[in-house]
Amino acid sequence: MSYRKYLKFLPLFVVLMLGLAACGGSTEPAAPPEEAAPAEEAAPAEEAAPAEEEAAPAEEAAPAEEAEEEMAAECEDTIILGAAVSETGKYAREGKDTRQGYNTWLDWVNNEYGGIKVGDKCYNVEIVYYDDEGDPDTAANLVERLITEDEVDYLLGPYSSGLTMATSAIAEKYGVIMVEGNGASESIFERGFQNIFAVLTPAGNYTQSALKAVSDQGAKSVVIAYEDTAFPSAVGAGAEKWADEYGLEILAVETYPKDVADVSAIMTKFRDLDPDVFVGGGHFNDALLFVRAAEELGFSPDAMIITVGPSNPEFVAEVGDSANYIIGPTQWEASMSWEDEYFGTAAEFAERYEEMWGEPPTYQAAESTATALALQLAIEAAGTTEMDAVRQALYDLDVVTFYGPINFDETGKNVGKPMGAIQIQDGEILVVAPEEAAVSDLQYPMPPWDER
């Protein structure tokens, strides 16, 4: 299913519907006007606007309507962005975070910032979304549709390295800029492309801070498992590199296929090797499999470092107390010290996000907001919407944001931002590395499952 989500018209829609409800004398609901968007194009309420806006009384909604009218009168032009992001499929959970991150920026840039400033003009922004279903071929076809049929001005990236690999090739084919925050594999940036820019730290550095921290605590050996796809493979290769760097003996490395449903064979082998540290490279569902299998099999290394899952509050909700002591790489946390003039501090961004969506932001959500912000800043720095000028402005961008430093190298990677590590302690996600960003000490070693 495909749909367009134009959040900037929602406050006016809320006011209109409230007014109809107040004026109608019949007990029958009024039929929607003929020109209203069809149901399949309507944005889900969860993503389209914060719940408190939908429930707001008419007298509170009116100022929003006035603000929209004033903005529309001032900004007569529109920049249209396009994004193929998973709503269904394997990456539906992470896709939701990605869309909500983009839409947090969209709400801010239209309704608070007053549109993208280009010379003496300002531009409203719209985002056209399609559901890529977590499939690379589908994602590539949808991005081509965004470019050739919807005629979007620029692209925002999907979730996952595999989908970013596929979609960025289409963007390169048509010479359209794609800025992304959820494809970290180095292989994305090794093709000589000129139109892909990523605000996140590359995947090869995901485990650096965590492995250094456990090495400093006395860890001597490690086992590594990762999914045989682009992002996890880059994480795994990076883990091997950093293990060597910090003097950890690598006892075994195992890979597994995409969409694996059972990792017990790998975890049994690892248990028998008795390593100090386990590293798991995958996505959210893989993190759940690793922890549940380790507990069921009595595999109790001194540390478990797992990508994607542990930094997401839903991970704690899924596995409960078993989440404690698990370490995870993180691109961003609300406790970090970064700040900017747009969203304020990391904590202030988190507060804004939770107020809008009713849940705290994952780092995937934060980096998605930062993705759109980076594109905005480049357009404003270029002083034009012309593609070549905006591309050069992205290469020249060197800025600190609520998400961290953004400074792209010649391949489009962000070389300015360090990677952090969190540990779940008593159900809380706390930054434990690097030292300058830590808010808690690392708890090491992890106690055996049967001694908790």
Side-chain angles (χ1 to χ4, degrees):
M1 180 184 70
S2 66
Y3 49 88
R4 293 176 179 247
K5 297 177 184 153
Y6 297 139
L7 298 187
K8 73 189 193 105
F9 294 112
L10 194 61
L12 180 58
F13 178 74
V14 171
V15 175
L16 177 60
M17 295 305 296
L18 288 169
L20 288 172
C23 296
S26 169
T27 58
E28 293 295 321
E34 193 69 27
E35 62 272 21
E40 68 175 13
E41 293 183 356
E46 175 189 26
E47 297 169 17
E52 56 266 33
E53 284 187 16
E54 296 177 316
E59 59 267 27
E60 293 182 10
E65 180 186 13
E66 292 170 6
E68 290 291 338
E69 290 174 348
E70 291 171 5
M71 181 189 69
E74 181 184 353
C75 298
E76 297 179 354
D77 297 298
T78 301
I79 290 173
I80 302 177
L81 309 182
V85 181
S86 300
E87 183 179 7
T88 59
K90 177 178 180 179
Y91 303 127
R93 189 190 308 256
E94 296 95 334
K96 175 178 73 70
D97 294 333
T98 301
R99 289 192 309 277
Q100 289 180 181
Y102 290 154
N103 289 342
T104 300
W105 169 82
L106 184 67
D107 177 77
W108 169 81
V109 77
N110 280 337
N111 299 328
E112 291 187 35
Y113 188 72
I116 295 179
K117 311 297 193 301
V118 181
D120 58 357
K121 298 176 63 176
C122 72
Y123 289 77
N124 298 321
V125 186
E126 299 172 359
I127 301 179
V128 182
Y129 287 105
Y130 291 118
D131 176 15
D132 61 33
E133 302 172 1
D135 178 71
D137 291 336
T138 300
N141 290 334
L142 291 174
V143 165
E144 189 156 31
R145 177 177 174 179
L146 285 165
I147 295 170
T148 61
E149 296 183 24
D150 295 296
E151 298 183 344
V152 300
D153 296 299
Y154 312 98
L155 295 163
L156 301 175
Y159 175 82
S160 91
S161 290
L163 299 186
T164 303
M165 284 283 288
T167 55
S168 59
I170 302 302
E172 188 71 13
K173 173 183 174 181
Y174 288 97
V176 178
I177 290 168
M178 173 182 284
V179 185
E180 60 101 355
N182 291 285
S185 173
E186 276 88 350
S187 58
I188 294 169
F189 310 99
E190 294 171 351
R191 298 171 292 172
F193 286 3
Q194 300 298 307
N195 292 287
I196 182 72
F197 298 86
V199 302
L200 75 174
T201 306
N205 293 342
Y206 265 50
T207 60
Q208 180 182 7
S209 292
L211 285 172
K212 183 179 187 306
V214 296
S215 174
D216 290 345
Q217 291 292 322
K220 300 298 183 185
S221 61
V222 62
V223 292
I224 303 168
Y226 58 88
E227 181 185 88
D228 190 17
T229 57
F231 164 71
S233 295
V235 170
E240 293 186 59
K241 169 188 171 182
W242 297 115
D244 286 338
E245 177 80 13
Y246 300 126
L248 297 167
E249 180 184 2
I250 301 172
L251 301 181
V253 177
E254 295 286 336
T255 63
Y256 57 88
K258 182 180 178 181
D259 299 326
V260 68
D262 184 2
V263 295
S264 57
I266 292 174
M267 301 304 265
T268 298
K269 175 180 178 179
F270 285 175
R271 178 195 63 192
D272 296 342
L273 292 172
D274 192 27
D276 294 330
V277 180
F278 165 80
V279 172
H283 297 280
F284 187 92
N285 290 335
D286 303 339
L288 300 178
L289 291 174
F290 287 139
V291 172
R292 288 167 176 162
E295 185 171 14
E296 290 170 5
L297 295 166
F299 174 35
S300 298
D302 291 338
M304 295 187 74
I305 301 169
I306 306 175
T307 59
V308 181
S311 61
N312 189 327
E314 292 187 27
F315 179 78
V316 179
E318 289 270 4
V319 300
D321 290 342
S322 299
N324 287 324
Y325 304 100
I326 305 298
I327 302 166
T330 185
Q331 292 279 356
W332 175 90
E333 296 296 327
S335 62
M336 289 179 169
S337 60
W338 310 118
E339 64 179 295
D340 62 33
E341 62 184 284
Y342 310 103
F343 289 95
T345 65
E348 288 169 341
F349 169 79
E351 182 180 357
R352 170 193 294 269
Y353 184 96
E354 187 161 4
E355 184 177 343
M356 284 188 69
W357 303 110
E359 61 185 9
T362 61
Y363 76 70
Q364 289 87 356
E367 62 198 10
S368 297
T369 300
T371 293
L373 178 62
L375 177 57
Q376 170 202 334
L377 296 179
I379 294 170
E380 293 185 338
T384 175
T385 58
E386 195 274 327
M387 195 73 67
D388 289 342
V390 175
R391 184 184 301 109
Q392 187 58 52
L394 283 163
Y395 282 124
D396 295 339
L397 193 65
D398 188 0
V399 64
V400 175
T401 71
F402 76 94
Y403 170 73
I406 299 176
N407 181 15
F408 300 114
D409 69 7
E410 68 279 1
T411 71
K413 293 196 300 289
N414 182 5
V415 294
K417 192 177 84 61
M419 195 72 179
I422 60 91
Q423 185 178 48
I424 300 169
Q425 300 177 359
D426 295 324
E428 288 191 74
I429 299 171
L430 301 175
V431 179
V432 294
E435 186 176 348
E436 60 269 22
V439 298
S440 181
D441 294 330
L442 176 69
Q443 294 181 352
Y444 181 93
M446 180 178 82
W449 299 107
D450 58 3
E451 294 181 13
R452 298 191 184 190

